[in-house]
Amino acid sequence: MTPQAYRGQPPRLAVWFINLFTAHENAESIFGDLLEEYSYLASKSGVTFARRWYWRQTVKTIAHLFGSGYRAAPWSTTAAAVGGFLLYRFVSGLPHKLLSAVTGRYLAFWSTHFNAYIWVLKGMMPVHLIASLFVGCVIALAAKGREMVATITLALVLCALIGSAMVWVATHLPLGIVWMLWSFADPFAIVVGGAIVRTRRSAAITLARHV
């Protein structure tokens, strides 16, 4: 790629982030305006300056699109988030209920194979994460066109609840950094689930337009 061509390419990751929140009918105008200004800044002030500007605009654009998306359909978005919260509460408890049932039935086996039980306990962590990813996908499927708005809304609610719990726990016990980071893995997985559904839908629409 020539230097001139490189100047015309904004950060791909930033473009992908914006695309997650952009309605398909508005994508061309939004990306066109950003690309035009980026190309001008790259030729005038350099690629580094232009890329930094593009990232700042990415944050502002996403915040604007998130707010606009929520205001356009507040009730349906809230309903999707509430439904997702109830689904999360149900799904997140299943692995531990299953483990408790198996433990109660095969307690003698676990007593003689304690190391196997420890490995099963460790396996609960990725299973729990996969369950949260599933919840995010379901919410995104239900909130067509507002996939990221709905999943991020639920993630923010969960983060607020987790943060409140951490404040209470911190007054009684010391908190480890790893445990604190892992506590926010569920909200992150839910947002990732929304991004997966949104990306696949965008790709399907783009493919359909070119057929």
Side-chain angles (χ1 to χ4, degrees):
M1 181 178 292
T2 64
Q4 185 65 31
Y6 179 74
R7 291 194 186 100
Q9 300 297 321
R12 291 184 179 181
L13 185 59
V15 172
W16 182 73
F17 278 135
I18 296 176
N19 189 54
L20 290 177
F21 294 84
T22 305
H24 299 292
E25 59 271 16
N26 300 328
E28 185 175 351
S29 61
I30 291 175
F31 286 114
D33 292 341
L34 289 173
L35 180 59
E36 182 179 357
E37 185 65 21
Y38 172 84
S39 299
Y40 171 75
L41 292 174
S43 60
K44 181 181 179 181
S45 304
V47 174
T48 301
F49 179 85
R51 291 175 70 86
R52 289 175 180 172
W53 172 86
Y54 201 96
W55 274 110
R56 290 195 299 270
Q57 291 303 120
T58 296
V59 175
K60 294 178 182 179
T61 302
I62 288 176
H64 173 73
L65 292 173
F66 181 88
S68 299
Y70 192 88
R71 289 191 298 270
W75 294 111
S76 60
T77 304
T78 302
V82 171
F85 180 79
L86 296 176
L87 179 63
Y88 169 77
R89 290 290 301 272
F90 174 75
V91 171
S92 62
L94 289 180
H96 298 290
K97 291 180 180 178
L98 178 61
L99 179 61
S100 297
V102 173
T103 300
R105 186 175 180 85
Y106 300 102
L107 183 60
F109 175 83
W110 293 130
S111 299
T112 55
H113 298 83
F114 183 73
N115 289 334
Y117 181 72
I118 296 299
W119 278 105
V120 171
L121 284 179
K122 292 180 178 180
M124 288 293 101
M125 299 175 69
V127 169
H128 196 75
L129 204 59
I130 293 172
S132 297
L133 186 67
F134 168 77
V135 171
C137 291
V138 172
I139 298 172
L141 289 171
K144 186 175 182 179
R146 301 179 310 281
E147 297 90 349
M148 300 309 298
V149 176
T151 51
I152 289 178
T153 298
L154 176 57
L156 290 175
V157 171
L158 292 178
C159 286
L161 294 176
I162 294 170
S164 300
M166 281 187 176
V167 171
W168 184 87
V169 173
T171 60
H172 298 80
L173 297 170
L175 298 180
I177 298 297
V178 175
W179 180 83
M180 291 176 63
L181 292 176
W182 177 254
S183 298
F184 291 97
D186 283 352
F188 179 76
I190 289 173
V191 174
V192 171
I196 291 173
V197 173
R198 172 67 181 188
T199 301
R200 291 184 65 85
R201 275 180 172 162
S202 297
I205 292 174
T206 301
L207 180 61
R209 289 178 176 176
H210 289 81
V211 173

